[in-house]
Amino acid sequence: MTTLDKVVGGAPARIDGREKVTGAARYAYEYPVPNAVYVWPVQATIARGRVCAVHGGAALALPGVIAVLNSGNVSRLHPADDAELAVLQSADVAYRGQIVAAVVASTLEGAREAASAVRVDYDEQEHDVVLSPGNPRIFSPRKANAGFPGTVHWGDAESALAAAPAGVDATYTTPAEHASPMEPHATIAFWEGETLTLYNADQAPWMSATAIAALFGLADGAVSIVADHTGGGFGSKAVPRPPTVLAALAARAVGRPVKVAMTRQQMFSLVSYRTPTVQRVRLGAELDGRLTAVWHDALQQSSKRVEYTEQTVAASRMMYATPNSHTAHRLLQLDVPTPSWMRAPGEAPGMFALESAMDELAYALGMDPVELRIVNEPALDPESGLPFSSRNLIACLREGAARFGWAGRDPAPGVRRQGRWLVGTGVASSTYPVFTMASTATARAEPMGRFVVEIAAADIGTGARTALAQVAADELGVPMDQITILVGRSVFGPAPFAGGSMGTASWSWAVSKVCRALVRELDERSGVVPPEGLQARADTTEDLAAQGRFSRHSFGAQFAEVKVDVDSGQVRIERLLGVFAAGRIVNARTARSQFLGGMTMGISMALHEALQLDPRFGDFTNHDLATYHIASNADVRGIEAHWIDEHDDELNPVGVKGIGEVGIVGTAAAIANAVFHATGSRQRDLPITLDRVRAATHTG
């Protein structure tokens, strides 16, 4: 093999960029499938009860209508851990918006019209849909998402809090939020005997295929998922959701390919959301700022169908050194859709509360907020006692402070004014765990010097193809343009999802390993490639099991400058700057895009995003992008993302940590802390709306 300059760490343009901008990139709903028909769901109009009857006669009388599906005429599914996948398996209604019937028709317009003609009779029952701290059904779950313990404590936090010379005791709230990816959830499904093909908007082709096969009682490999391009997901497409199951059921029922695409409004009921939280944080500290106790409790909701507990307090267990800690999740199951993953689940809302409380503690002590965090840097993971594989939070704080111009900052709140604008700055830390899962990959050398790498990764807009091509190019010692990277297909074998910031870390390990194996085979043949090509396959399962025991995390520091209009309460973000320590950066161009994207979602979290529940019906009233607000270019004057050069030999051969989620984690707290510095009024409830700010700043 030849020796070339390394491309990992460079900034090559995305290899699929031209396809994306010209429209040639094909998404799930766009595959040409002959004789396809269309499915439109009929959604429950009650929050709790039972379907007594589905009257489909009027719908069936309309032109082009093929079938009206209900719980009595579709295939029986096998039990699944996620009860949300039991589509049309029961007459029970667990939440408003649940699929209770569906219409199949020859045209999309016909299916939609016919669905509106279906009449459903219900036995409506009393519902409970409001997350109330006083509800007697609140309980403490044993486990939270990703296997985190529900409750963890060490030392005696209550006694330490009572004895602490300084402290904070405050409650913070975050609302329900929706991922709202640009591409809606969409599926084309067709059966050939006992095999099922799904063109699916998917973050996890192989894992989703495995789950769907189990649901339908099919053999391993009987489900094939194609997801060559996926237009965003933010967690909502990381596991199968009801629309995908509906497509497979409908295709089997009518014996033809079917197409399902959710409207924006339907997605707000059917494809998960971030749980709201009510969090109490209590901090105790010595007068020099050293924490003596951390107490963090988070109340959140799930559906009555599924016990989903987001790991909201998990970061508080490892973020700062303390001899006494109590962190607990509490859960209330309601007659609502099941919440699930949304970008940086747990860490995003949990660190908003912790980092806001740390800012409050800094002011109580008269300490610089950056220095308070540095003083509480742990030598080992406070929860596990394990060494960190690398921990460069202090470096991020120092670098960010220098770039932002933090030195000389006047700490006094509410005193800087430019005309009618109050000006303030704030800081917060970020963290996200390093997750890695086993993966397989195949590499093939072809005559004429070309190489093909196949892996069931998913490129959800992050540039995964390009990053993996860079890894392969370095291992093979050839230019990137001699390599074809094929992703997005379950037939390529076991591979984890694009989620939990684990995608590139997991996939690149498999790609690195298989390319090295192929190079060894080529060397044994003196570089001669047979006419049929030469292939190698790799599996990182044993490599992952042999890893040493370390606490592995990405870290970052976020700095914000805001202006607040004293008349209207409007908050403008003048500057947002993040510095991150996330292992080896594979592609500087796409990494910066990911960091900026996460920070932009953090702006949305801070200032805009909130699902508004209607307690009369149990659904969200602002279920479109006209009323569910997200950040736009006008919301920030300047945004920067930087990273430090971090080398971590305890990760994987490429030295990669995840970057997709750490960018959002500290943003909301940094903005809230800056609003306090500007106004002198603490905003503990997200989003920070102008009416709340105006109430705190208006002088009449």
Side-chain angles (χ1 to χ4, degrees):
M1 310 302 295
T2 60
T3 300
L4 299 172
D5 292 336
K6 297 291 185 182
V7 292
V8 169
R14 289 173 52 148
I15 57 179
D16 56 354
R18 180 174 290 274
E19 288 181 272
K20 291 289 184 72
V21 299
T22 60
R26 186 169 283 165
Y27 292 83
Y29 204 67
E30 299 174 330
Y31 285 85
V33 178
N35 303 314
V37 293
Y38 298 83
V39 183
W40 198 274
V42 177
Q43 296 177 268
T45 57
I46 64 171
R48 181 169 177 256
R50 282 183 63 83
V51 173
C52 298
V54 175
H55 303 282
L60 288 167
L62 294 172
V65 175
I66 299 166
V68 175
L69 307 178
N70 58 61
S71 63
N73 64 4
V74 299
S75 300
R76 296 299 92 189
L77 301 175
H78 288 235
D81 291 337
D82 184 357
E84 289 285 6
L85 300 184
V87 177
L88 297 179
Q89 298 300 292
S90 166
D92 292 336
V93 175
Y95 57 87
R96 184 179 173 97
Q98 177 186 324
I99 298 172
V100 294
V103 171
V104 185
S106 57
T107 66
L108 177 63
E109 296 80 6
R112 183 171 191 167
E113 180 186 4
S116 67
V118 174
R119 186 167 59 85
V120 182
D121 295 337
Y122 298 99
D123 174 17
E124 187 172 1
Q125 300 168 13
E126 187 176 349
H127 62 263
D128 184 4
V129 297
V130 178
L131 181 64
S132 171
N135 194 305
R137 294 190 297 103
I138 293 170
F139 67 98
S140 298
R142 189 177 64 86
K143 288 286 185 182
N145 180 50
F148 288 96
T151 300
V152 171
H153 59 85
W154 62 84
D156 186 346
E158 287 285 2
S159 297
L161 287 165
V168 168
D169 185 348
T171 297
Y172 307 88
T173 69
T174 62
E177 301 170 339
H178 199 273
S180 295
M182 184 178 294
E183 178 199 25
H185 287 241
T187 306
I188 301 174
F190 63 90
W191 292 83
E192 295 173 299
E194 287 300 298
T195 64
L196 171 64
T197 299
L198 300 170
Y199 296 99
N200 202 44
D202 209 306
Q203 293 179 231
W206 181 82
M207 296 177 75
S208 294
T210 302
I212 295 293
L215 193 66
F216 281 85
L218 302 174
D220 291 344
V223 176
S224 175
I225 288 185
V226 177
D228 292 332
H229 295 278
T230 298
F234 311 117
S236 70
K237 298 173 183 173
V239 295
R241 303 293 184 189
T244 300
V245 180
L246 176 63
L249 285 170
R252 172 167 272 186
V254 301
R256 292 177 62 177
V258 305
K259 302 182 76 170
V260 173
M262 294 292 95
T263 65
R264 186 63 59 182
Q265 291 84 357
Q266 290 167 344
M267 286 173 60
F268 278 80
S269 299
L270 293 173
V271 297
S272 81
Y273 59 97
R274 193 199 299 280
T275 176
T277 70
V278 180
Q279 303 177 58
R280 185 183 179 194
V281 180
R282 301 162 69 193
L283 302 177
E286 301 289 356
L287 295 180
D288 63 359
R290 297 183 189 277
L291 290 168
T292 59
V294 172
W295 196 98
H296 190 175
D297 171 278
L299 171 64
Q300 52 205 36
Q301 74 184 36
S302 190
S303 70
K304 289 182 179 176
R305 279 183 153 191
V306 179
E307 184 185 312
Y308 171 80
T309 304
E310 192 153 297
Q311 67 274 28
T312 308
V313 306
S316 294
R317 298 167 179 167
M318 49 67 61
M319 196 64 195
Y320 300 114
T322 180
N324 303 285
S325 175
H326 176 83
T327 54
H329 300 95
R330 293 185 299 131
L331 190 66
L332 179 59
Q333 292 181 270
L334 298 167
D335 301 308
V336 297
T338 305
S340 187
W341 307 330
M342 180 175 162
R343 198 174 202 170
E347 278 73 15
M351 285 288 283
F352 162 70
L354 177 65
E355 290 301 295
S356 295
M358 286 292 285
D359 198 66
E360 296 201 45
L361 181 61
Y363 280 96
L365 291 166
M367 245 182 120
D368 183 273
V370 170
E371 294 304 317
L372 176 64
R373 289 164 171 83
I374 291 172
V375 163
N376 287 289
E377 175 73 1
L380 300 172
D381 184 321
E383 178 186 9
S384 66
L386 293 174
F388 290 97
S389 63
S390 58
R391 181 180 166 112
N392 284 296
L393 174 60
I394 291 178
C396 292
L397 288 164
R398 295 287 193 214
E399 177 76 10
R403 288 180 176 273
F404 191 76
W406 188 263
R409 169 185 184 261
D410 178 1
V415 298
R416 288 151 304 282
R417 189 159 179 162
Q418 297 177 5
R420 71 174 194 270
W421 297 93
L422 295 169
V423 182
T425 53
V427 64
S429 300
S430 302
T431 189
Y432 200 76
V434 174
F435 294 119
T436 312
M437 290 180 67
S439 182
T440 62
T442 300
R444 186 170 63 256
E446 298 183 335
M448 308 301 294
R450 292 206 57 80
F451 297 86
V452 177
V453 176
E454 297 175 342
I455 185 168
D459 195 328
I460 58 173
T462 56
R465 278 183 180 82
T466 308
L468 295 178
Q470 291 175 258
V471 173
D474 280 356
E475 298 292 6
L476 294 169
V478 300
M480 283 178 61
D481 60 11
Q482 290 181 222
I483 300 170
T484 300
I485 297 287
L486 299 178
V487 303
R489 306 217 169 188
S490 60
V491 296
F492 295 155
F497 47 54
S501 291
M502 73 172 68
T504 302
S506 303
W507 305 325
S508 66
W509 193 338
V511 168
S512 171
K513 184 176 181 178
V514 77
C515 288
R516 291 182 185 185
L518 185 59
V519 167
R520 288 194 297 270
E521 291 197 31
L522 286 168
D523 288 344
E524 290 174 2
R525 295 169 176 263
S526 301
V528 176
V529 179
E532 68 276 13
L534 189 65
Q535 183 165 297
R537 187 162 178 80
D539 184 336
T540 62
T541 302
E542 293 183 0
D543 307 270
L544 198 62
Q547 275 192 312
R549 296 187 69 230
F550 288 89
S551 181
R552 299 175 174 89
H553 300 264
S554 295
F555 292 94
Q558 311 263 22
F559 293 79
E561 179 184 346
V562 304
K563 287 184 176 179
V564 180
D565 189 320
V566 294
D567 296 323
S568 69
Q570 178 188 5
V571 176
R572 284 187 180 175
I573 300 172
E574 293 295 301
R575 291 187 297 154
L576 187 62
L577 182 146
V579 177
F580 303 96
R584 189 180 185 191
I585 300 300
V586 177
N587 186 306
R589 187 192 304 243
T590 58
R592 179 170 283 106
S593 177
Q594 282 294 290
F595 287 134
L596 294 179
M599 293 164 70
T600 302
M601 288 189 77
I603 296 171
S604 284
M605 181 180 179
L607 301 181
H608 299 295
E609 292 191 53
L611 288 169
Q612 302 295 333
L613 178 77
D614 187 336
R616 298 171 302 166
F617 303 112
D619 62 354
F620 301 122
T621 59
N622 56 332
H623 54 191
D624 55 43
L625 293 184
T627 52
Y628 181 79
H629 295 162
I630 58 176
S632 66
N633 288 343
D635 284 300
V636 59
R637 301 293 181 90
I639 183 168
E640 299 177 43
H642 307 275
W643 51 86
I644 66 171
D645 188 19
E646 182 176 69
H647 299 275
D648 190 329
D649 295 329
E650 302 297 339
L651 298 171
N652 47 64
V654 186
V656 174
K657 293 181 178 179
I659 62 173
E661 293 169 283
V662 69
I664 189 177
V665 171
T667 305
I671 292 169
N673 294 339
V675 170
F676 171 77
H677 187 230
T679 65
S681 174
R682 183 66 63 178
Q683 298 293 323
R684 300 187 180 101
D685 304 301
L686 294 184
I688 303 169
T689 54
L690 58 85
D691 56 325
R692 291 174 183 164
V693 176
R694 186 176 185 276
T697 60
H698 188 54
T699 58

